[in-house]
Amino acid sequence: MDLGIKGKRALVCASSKGLGRGCAEALAEAGVSLVLNARGAEALKATAEAIRSRYGVEATAVAADITSESGRAEVLAAAGDVDILVTNAGGPPPGLWSDWDRDDFIAALDANMLTPIALMTALMPGMAERGWGRVVNITSQSVKAPIAQLGLSNAARTGLTGYVAGTARQVAPMGVIVNNLLPGIHATDRADALDGGVSKSEGISLEEARARRAATIPARRYGTAEEFGAMCAYLCSQHAGFIVGQNILLDGGGINATL
Ligand code: NAP
């Protein structure tokens, strides 16, 4: 399928690895030129080079913390007028409800709610002026069903979801289409880190920890960054203009719900 976005420009945040990289690659395959971002310069440079040589599109790398004001300013200056925005950042740390104080919540809200909102606020006016734009926010399955030990993530991402629900309907008349993508368990470094913790605490191998978690998913496997990226690219395509303010779950059937 021709996604109809060849020649567009995208900013994909937190994209040297994992789900962000999956989105960047799928957009590059559709002919979109990219501004990529992550904190670690080396991995980011390698990803940008790989994308340039594989897909023949421009890929500018900006090494910066997207959750800080100065990092965002740097990324936005390099991005200029983009047509497509994919927001992403690392998730907050796990813990127990009684562990977290105000500062922990402020940090989580800054990273996973206020950062994507600031990026949308900065870039959507230009999209609206030009009459075309696409925004995909990478959130989490925790928006549909809470993950108890990720209370900071549950709270911050649900706040973003509420914001998007209203805002998506305000900008749709200007041709700006905003949706959220909700990852369930995907095979990335983050999943490895979580499985590594279980392997240590339960005295089992990493493979065993992975196999146990995969067994809880009806698809009996983890999702891939490529599958995730393909859905992201579709939501950024010409064909997605009637999909407004939706929360699209990619979880292999993990959340047992009718709707
Ligand atoms: P990942 O494999 O660990 O990759 C994270 C990427 O984001 C890396 O490129 C990392 O590079 C970059 N990054 C992290 N913090 C950043 C920051 N503050 N500023 C700029 N770049 C940053 O993680 P992932 O699995 O793709 O997860 C992406 C998001 O989806 C996370 O918010 C995660 O919580 C959420 N999620 C993932 C899963 C899953 O199963 N994988 C499930 C639900 C939700 P640097 O470290 O060099 O900055």
Side-chain angles (χ1 to χ4, degrees), residues 14 16-17 19 38-40 65-66 88-91 157 183-184 186 188 190:
S16 64
K17 298 180 194 165
L19 304 179
R39 292 163 303 180
D65 183 342
I66 198 67
N88 187 28
R157 296 188 196 278
H186 282 72
T188 66
R190 176 151 169 106

Side-chain angles (χ1 to χ4, degrees), residues 211-238:
R212 283 191 196 174
R213 203 145 70 111
T216 67
I217 305 171
R220 296 290 184 265
R221 65 174 178 87
Y222 289 7
T224 68
E226 290 74 22
E227 290 168 314
F228 192 86
M231 177 55 93
C232 176
Y234 182 78
L235 288 176
C236 295
S237 77
Q238 295 292 359

Side-chain angles (χ1 to χ4, degrees), residues 13-22 37-44 47 62-68 75 87-92 111-112 138-142 147 150 153 157 181-194 213 222-223 225 228 250:
C13 303
S15 54
S16 64
K17 298 180 194 165
L19 304 179
R21 178 171 179 163
N37 151 258
R39 292 163 303 180
E42 211 173 304
L44 181 65
T47 297
V62 188
D65 183 342
I66 198 67
T67 68
S68 76
V75 171
T87 75
N88 187 28
N112 297 108
I138 300 180
T139 67
S140 171
Q141 62 181 349
S142 70
I147 302 170
L150 291 178
S153 172
R157 296 188 196 278
L181 261 189
L182 283 53
I185 301 166
H186 282 72
T188 66
D189 286 2
R190 176 151 169 106
D192 276 350
L194 292 172
R213 203 145 70 111
Y222 289 7
F228 192 86
L250 284 89

Side-chain angles (χ1 to χ4, degrees), residues 11 13 66 69 72 76 80-82 84-87 110 113-130 134-137 160 163-164 167-168 170-171 174 176 178:
L11 165 59
C13 303
I66 198 67
E69 214 172 314
R72 260 193 317 276
L76 286 168
D81 284 336
V82 292
I84 294 168
L85 165 66
V86 179
T87 75
D110 257 341
M113 177 183 169
L114 298 175
T115 290
I117 290 175
L119 291 164
M120 284 186 269
T121 305
L123 294 173
M124 290 197 310
M127 295 178 189
E129 226 168 79
R130 295 187 296 279
R134 298 286 186 266
V135 178
V136 172
N137 299 294
L160 174 63
Y163 172 85
V164 166
T167 305
Q170 288 182 304
V171 297
M174 284 92 100
V176 182
V178 187

